[in-house]
Amino acid sequence: MSLTTNGSRSKTAILRNAQLESIPLADRDLPATTYDLLTRAAEHDHDATALQLLPGGSRWDEPQTWSYGELLRRVNQSANLYATLGLNPGGTVGLMLPNTGSTYAALLGAQALGIANPVNPMLAIDHIVDIFRLTNAKILVAPGPNLDASIWRKACEVAARLPSLQAMVTVDGGLGTPTAGGNDFDRLAATQRSDRLDFDYRPKASDIAAYFHTGGTTGTPKVAPHTHASEVYVAWALNQHPVFEGETVVLSGLPLFHVNAILITTLAPLFAGRTAVSLGTLGYRDREAMADFWKIVERYRVTTFSAVPTVYASLPQVPEGVDISSLRAGIVGAAPLPTTVRSHFETTTGVPMVEGYGLTEATCANTISPMVDPREGSVGLPLPYQRIKAVRTDSAGLPIADCDPGEAGILAIEGPCVFPGYLRAGPNGATPDPTGTIADGWLLTGDLGRVDSDGFVYLTGRAKDVIIRGGHNIDPRLIEDALLAHPDVKEAAVVARPDAHSGEVPAAYVVLRKGAEPNLEALRAWAAEHASEPAAVPRFIHSVDKIPITAVGKVHKLTLVHDSIRRLVEHELQVSGLVGDVSVTDEGGRPQVTIRFATDVATDRHKDELADHLGKYAFSYRFDELP
């Protein structure tokens, strides 16, 4: 039986937020910066365990353990190394690293002197170069050939195209062990002073701490700045939720270029002097480690972890005799959550799945569900000191009025989490620009949703076209551009198709030029060669006579989304040996599938089997009979 119910005890969470907000945030004496956050934790308990760094694979029981004192020493050395390499205060350090101990030190050390700019190393070289040019990266930290030869080669190409780059250093030692080499990060850092920062500059709370690139970019990538104040605030706010209370051990498996990995599974436990357990360089993609996932939970007494629905869907069964009693809850977000994934996790573990919602532009975490009696279908309440509302907008997307409770609109967020605007190039360098994104202090998310009278937030869809594949944002326009570059393609449109494993995958619709032979496999190979990253390669390509457009000539993507769902459901019917008529409509901003069975073969057993298959997807469905 699912632990997700709807009851009056959710009022406790509402009252808890009200009590917290009775004290002004400015009176809470939060650390000014992420470096101050770390020094406070180290001063409180120098020998407490900050990081358990697993080597990956089957060697998960051989961790390298860093105390808070050791982590602070490493961060001091990293920051001092950057200063030695000529980084000026407020300068940018680009990072193209997998998850290692050195990554934690390099990232937090960059924030102590300047700005950390972690980038997904799987992005196309052109996009990485665009990001680092926009952020004016002065130092690049990348894996050496012994750690990841392919990313090292990519980093060398990136560095060659950044004339303003002052230095490139490499991490070859895995979990922070210095190796030989003139530009080895760990060897060079080990020569630096470790007991304190060896420079006078100290950033302020309002200074930029990090740059994160977001999904949905064309041309110059969108880069979202985070201030020290916003990152520290979110780390504090997460600790007010019961899932982070008391003795907490947080398992971390998402890549450290992702805001979730840095805010929820790093800064949140570090704020409270607790422990983060890093799964290793591959994180949740480490098949050997994930096969022993529940043994890792038992070994390190993990209390919570944060992952996307695809990770939960692929978790192994809890082995007989493995003690996971330390686990309080699993945290999930970043993509639509199928009900079967939730119910399976909750019934097999006996702990709730805590759903949340957040944006890179709002420092990652904006709502979180109560531990007890969450509202069904809701992504929870805003974190303390945040406000979320639904607004009506005009044809230009600007807000014109607040929605009534329960009325769907565009979600808007206000509070200490909101970023200062996307980084945009200017005559005097790139600066944050709120134009078109923030109105009167409210971040316009582009997400469709509603807020009930108690403040619980419900997502009803996305106004954006971004495809979320396994929690990774993909801009469909990049795929469309790649397809349109093919000489046989006249028109192209790409939408999200539901997927049982990845949540969503790209599905492409193409109109071929007159006389062209439809060779969809060749088109897919073309897209794979020209895509910005492997995740952006469309899983499905459909050749159609025309692409639907709206009255004003825009591609009507909702029609294509519904078509992709119809094709998927028809495939599931075929697999189940059933015949039926499938229609897809839009109800309250969400797809609703109706299946009308055409034969008497659709017994209750067949329907139950089909329901099990459809329950893997994040859309609603119902069965009916043909007249």
Side-chain angles (χ1 to χ4, degrees), residues 423-443:
L423 195 68
R424 303 192 197 279
N428 298 315
T431 55
D433 180 7
T435 305
T437 308
I438 300 171
D440 295 326
W442 289 84
L443 170 67

Side-chain angles (χ1 to χ4, degrees), residues 32 42 115 284 379 402 441 528 556 565:
I115 300 169
Y284 291 132
V379 290
D402 292 352
H556 197 266
I565 294 173

Side-chain angles (χ1 to χ4, degrees), residues 108-129:
L108 292 170
Q111 293 191 353
L113 176 60
I115 300 169
N117 183 196
V119 166
N120 177 1
M122 296 305 294
L123 287 176
I125 289 175
D126 285 349
H127 291 286
I128 297 175
V129 170

Side-chain angles (χ1 to χ4, degrees), residues 131-169:
I131 290 168
F132 287 151
R133 283 179 176 170
L134 181 64
T135 62
N136 196 27
K138 295 298 185 182
I139 295 174
L140 176 59
V141 188
N146 295 333
L147 182 58
D148 194 315
S150 63
I151 297 178
W152 173 72
R153 287 192 295 270
K154 181 183 282 190
C156 290
E157 291 187 54
V158 168
R161 293 173 57 182
L162 297 174
S164 63
L165 197 69
Q166 297 170 190
M168 174 177 164
V169 289

Side-chain angles (χ1 to χ4, degrees), residues 362-404:
T363 326
C364 180
N366 306 118
T367 73
I368 191 166
S369 295
M371 286 274 284
V372 179
D373 285 340
R375 300 278 173 93
E376 185 174 355
S378 168
V379 290
L381 287 165
L383 270 64
Y385 302 102
Q386 295 190 38
R387 300 287 179 268
I388 300 182
K389 63 183 180 181
V391 298
R392 305 182 196 118
T393 58
D394 60 19
S395 59
L398 298 175
I400 54 176
D402 292 352
C403 292
D404 296 327

Side-chain angles (χ1 to χ4, degrees), residues 235-321:
W236 170 85
L238 287 168
N239 274 280
Q240 309 316 304
H241 192 275
V243 76
F244 285 98
E245 283 184 343
E247 293 300 318
T248 299
V249 177
V250 182
L251 186 65
S252 181
L254 292 172
L256 283 168
F257 59 77
H258 196 289
V259 286
N260 185 301
I262 294 172
L263 270 298
I264 296 178
T265 58
T266 299
L267 290 180
L270 293 184
F271 183 97
R274 307 308 183 196
T275 302
V277 179
S278 173
L279 272 174
T281 56
L282 295 178
Y284 291 132
R285 295 181 293 112
D286 189 328
R287 293 184 179 181
E288 280 191 276
M290 291 302 288
D292 288 334
F293 182 85
W294 298 113
K295 292 181 180 179
I296 293 172
V297 170
E298 176 185 48
R299 161 69 172 82
Y300 296 97
R301 306 304 296 158
V302 171
T303 59
T304 192
F305 62 100
S306 180
V308 295
T310 54
V311 171
Y312 283 94
S314 61
L315 288 177
Q317 292 292 325
V318 181
E320 196 76 32

Side-chain angles (χ1 to χ4, degrees), residues 529-595:
E529 183 180 351
H530 293 81
S532 59
E533 55 180 317
V537 178
R539 280 276 299 279
F540 303 90
I541 299 181
H542 308 297
S543 177
V544 294
D545 292 334
K546 62 180 180 179
I547 289 175
I549 59 174
T550 66
V552 295
K554 294 184 178 180
V555 174
H556 197 266
K557 288 203 169 182
L558 183 60
T559 300
L560 297 179
V561 169
H562 287 179
D563 182 78
S564 74
I565 294 173
R566 178 187 59 79
R567 291 172 186 261
L568 182 154
V569 175
E570 287 176 347
H571 173 74
E572 293 289 0
L573 278 170
Q574 185 179 13
V575 170
S576 301
L578 298 172
V579 178
D581 178 63
V582 180
S583 62
V584 185
T585 57
D586 188 72
E587 295 188 11
R590 296 179 66 88
Q592 172 69 53
V593 177
T594 301
I595 306 169

